[in-house]
Amino acid sequence: MGESESVKGYRAGFVSLVGRPNVGKSTLMNAMLGVRLSIATPKPQTTRNRILGVRTVEDRGQLVFLDTPGIHRIRRGRRLNRAMVDEAVRAIRETEVCAFVVEAKSLVQRPGQPLWGEDADIAEQIAAAGVTCILVVNKVDQLRGRAQLLPALAALGEDSRFIAIVPVSALKGDNVGHLEGVLLDQLPEAGPLFPEDTLTDRAERFFAAEMIREQVLLQTDREVPYSVAVEVELFSENPRDGALEIQALIHVERESQKGIVIGRGGQRLKAIGTAARARLEAFFGQHVRLELLVRVQADWADRPQDLSRFGYEEAP
Ligand SMILES: Nc1nc2c(ncn2[C@@H]2O[C@H](COP(=O)(O)OP(=O)(O)O)[C@@H](O)[C@H]2O)c(=O)[nH]1
Ligand SMILES: [Mg+2]
């Protein structure tokens, strides 16, 4: 992916972040970038697209992260879910290094066989793809003591599929700097793949939509988070006062969901707008005027034309 001249000692390449939903892949990428680029919430399906984040470490190298939707067994066969899993599997194949993220508390449940269930399946898929894999044990802050991890780490130390095992807390930033060094060491010697001040390859509009969707996820429950897509219709800088003017449509699948998102007397939509605006202003460093509308678009998550309109790719 991209050619550049090789600089002595400088390393560069792509690192995919894979794992079950909710293990902390997006939080980890944000911790390494030092920016909240990829939205992260306790809800499943928070990350739906692959998101590229570039971390340049001065004089040492460049890590190009691909944050992916989680890999999980598809129980509900919706097109959106399939597209998400395909995206993650594709990312593994396209990168030179894979950071496989698991949760500390699930490893300690079965120390003799620490990777079980879906984690075991994902480990198999990574091994089959033949990429270098680093096992990242996240959320160590949730354990009562680090000693709890030792039996699982001993068992995993025997597992030749992993070139290194690194415990971290993405949320607290513990050991994230060490992980960065471990990942860099695995990349090939090469010059930077992107200009050194690059953060991502996606357009600003995409992040605006994501930050609005993040607030909808955080402020609604039950089926709504699965049924929401956000489409930015207007994204422009007002030449008079330099403010960003953003108009977005929040698509839901049913009238009842529209009612939930709007809330009594419009209260919830107002709260979503206020929080999203604060987040957008922090991200873009500009004053933002935000207008949100809610529209019912039945079954968009099953319709190929809507999936591509909302930025979700299907495998060719
Ligand atoms: N306690 C704790 N929570 C974390 C950590 N990393 C992520 N989380 C939380 O786990 C949830 C899912 O994180 P997210 O990054 O969206 O997971 P993803 O689906 O794998 O991308 C969020 O509520 C995060 O705040 C961690 O190191 N410790
Ligand atoms: Mg995520």
Side-chain angles (χ1 to χ4, degrees):
M1 288 181 158
E3 278 183 358
S4 44
E5 30 176 302
S6 146
V7 180
K8 195 98 197 89
Y10 196 96
R11 295 178 180 276
F14 286 79
V15 178
S16 55
L17 293 162
V18 298
R20 282 184 292 119
N22 247 23
V23 293
K25 299 175 294 297
S26 297
T27 307
L28 181 63
M29 181 171 85
N30 291 345
M32 289 191 278
L33 297 177
V35 179
R36 282 168 64 192
L37 181 70
S38 195
I39 67 170
T41 83
K43 306 276 163 68
Q45 290 202 6
T46 297
T47 308
R48 286 181 182 163
N49 308 74
R50 153 164 96 161
I51 294 175
L52 183 145
V54 184
R55 161 83 175 129
T56 302
V57 186
E58 209 177 333
D59 298 330
R60 285 203 58 201
Q62 192 173 65
L63 295 147
V64 184
F65 294 106
L66 290 182
D67 183 17
T68 66
I71 298 181
H72 57 103
R73 295 193 186 113
I74 303 166
R75 291 185 199 86
R76 301 186 308 158
R78 308 195 72 180
R79 275 178 186 270
L80 175 66
N81 294 9
R82 260 176 285 152
M84 286 165 54
V85 172
D86 288 346
E87 190 80 71
V89 172
R90 218 166 6 192
I92 299 174
R93 290 200 226 105
E94 287 174 3
T95 51
E96 27 265 300
V97 177
C98 168
F100 172 28
V101 185
V102 296
E103 275 184 349
K105 67 176 188 234
S106 98
L107 297 196
V108 302
Q109 276 176 37
R110 299 190 193 174
Q113 194 208 341
L115 297 179
W116 50 277
E118 291 183 331
D119 283 341
D121 295 348
I122 298 168
E124 280 304 303
Q125 294 207 34
I126 296 169
V131 293
T132 302
C133 183
I134 288 164
L135 184 69
V136 181
V137 182
N138 189 31
K139 307 196 186 182
V140 292
D141 58 286
Q142 289 180 334
L143 299 179
R144 261 169 280 114
R146 303 284 162 96
Q148 252 190 300
L149 257 187
L150 295 177
L153 292 181
L156 288 166
E158 308 282 301
D159 194 328
S160 59
R161 291 176 297 181
F162 309 117
I163 212 142
I165 302 170
V166 186
V168 300
S169 168
L171 195 65
K172 311 236 184 258
D174 291 348
N175 221 26
V176 168
H178 173 67
L179 175 61
E180 182 177 275
V182 171
L183 292 170
L184 261 179
D185 286 343
Q186 296 306 321
L187 293 178
E189 275 197 18
L193 303 171
F194 289 86
E196 299 212 317
D197 57 357
T198 307
L199 177 61
T200 185
D201 65 339
R202 280 198 192 260
E204 294 174 322
R205 222 176 233 271
F206 170 79
F207 293 102
E210 286 288 273
M211 283 169 205
I212 295 162
R213 193 166 61 84
E214 179 176 50
Q215 290 307 320
V216 178
L217 297 193
L218 288 172
Q219 303 200 33
T220 60
D221 251 319
R222 280 180 276 184
E223 87 269 35
V224 175
Y226 300 98
S227 297
V228 161
V230 175
E231 185 181 13
V232 171
E233 292 200 308
L234 175 81
F235 185 102
S236 72
E237 202 175 283
N238 186 309
R240 268 174 294 131
D241 60 1
L244 270 182
E245 294 183 339
I246 302 174
Q247 279 171 19
L249 281 175
I250 299 173
H251 295 270
V252 292
E253 294 187 287
R254 279 187 286 283
E255 281 297 332
S256 60
Q257 297 166 340
K258 181 174 172 181
I260 295 171
V261 172
I262 292 175
R264 192 162 292 153
Q267 283 305 310
R268 186 169 285 121
L269 186 61
K270 199 170 163 204
I272 289 169
T274 303
R277 193 168 64 83
R279 183 88 161 78
L280 291 163
E281 289 189 336
F283 188 77
F284 291 111
Q286 264 169 290
H287 185 62
V288 170
R289 279 193 288 275
L290 179 63
E291 205 176 295
L292 297 176
L293 283 174
V294 184
R295 180 177 289 174
V296 178
Q297 169 101 38
D299 299 326
W300 65 263
D302 280 317
R303 289 155 44 109
Q305 65 273 35
D306 287 338
L307 281 180
S308 67
R309 213 170 105 224
F310 300 148
Y312 306 115
E313 289 164 34
E314 286 193 281

